[in-house]
Amino acid sequence: MQSNTNVLAHITAFTVAMIWGSTFISTKVLILNGLSPVQIFTLRFIVAYLLLLLMSLYLGRHDKRKFSWIADNWKDEVIMIALGITGGSAYFYTENEALRFGTATNVSLIVCACPLFTTLLYRMMVKNVRLSKRLIVGSILAFVGMVVVVLNGHFVLHLSPLGDSLAFAACLCWAFYSILMNYVTDRYNSAFITRKVFFYGLLTILPYYRFFPDFPSWQELMQPAVIGNLLFLSVVASLVCFVAWNWALHLLGAIRVTNYVYVNPVSTIVFAAWILHEPITIYFIVGTILILYGMYLSYRKE
């Protein structure tokens, strides 16, 4: 039974990573329709939070143990705040701002290197953890495959100190988010944790609007392309995917689940080929094979 549950967790993490890879297409459509990246983040988290809150309140009517406004103690609440920042406001802000000042290739390479940094940080922070040789080799192979996919045969990188630094900050944010999750998943369900992530993510992004108060008008939001893509980002990519990802983190651990981030650029290219008719190259095929084999190798038992 446990083995079947772990297999389901792997499938869930892979599916979520594929969906998150496709969100770049929806985000691009919304930007072309006049929304800024921070506005997109705010709207998708507002919708996702309200829906998850309503679901939690409904379940809490029948079983009060299934709903709570705050964590069991102030230390756990502080961790929830940190999760909202690292997995919400800080992560999305630094990643989106990195794209303003740096190239998409650099940002993709740095942000998608998150699994390597997660592994290193996890080894530093959790002293009793043991990393197998197979896990290390598999992670490196998957990383090399990701580099091949992102570069796509164009081995030219343009250094941008500010853009690259912001991308590295986004990478560290997600690494810390993955590690911090280990401290609460054993005592709280994934729906409660995700709701707190949405809430504190929204709360900590509010200072941005003190300096940039603009927000899209109701007419802009009512455009069919805007509504459709916002609903996809809010309901599927945020509400469903965050709950599912946090559940997989609980079962498989930070290192194994975060390795699925390597699938993001693969998914992006697949959806770009399908929707935008962009060509798929031999580099994509080779890189994808390396990613999949590296992940298979790292997940095999010694």
Side-chain angles (χ1 to χ4, degrees), residues 96-159:
N96 291 329
E97 287 299 301
L99 289 169
R100 285 183 57 198
F101 298 101
T103 65
T105 300
N106 284 35
V107 173
S108 296
L109 282 174
I110 296 170
V111 172
C112 288
C114 171
L116 281 182
F117 287 100
T118 302
T119 301
L120 293 173
L121 287 171
Y122 195 75
R123 182 65 182 85
M124 292 168 57
M125 296 175 66
V126 184
K127 300 299 182 182
N128 60 344
V129 69
R130 176 181 174 271
L131 304 179
S132 67
K133 291 181 180 178
R134 184 167 288 158
L135 175 62
I136 294 172
V137 173
S139 297
I140 292 173
L141 276 177
F143 172 75
V144 172
M146 182 274 297
V147 172
V148 173
V149 169
V150 172
L151 291 180
N152 197 29
H154 304 288
F155 302 100
V156 179
L157 296 178
H158 301 280
L159 295 179

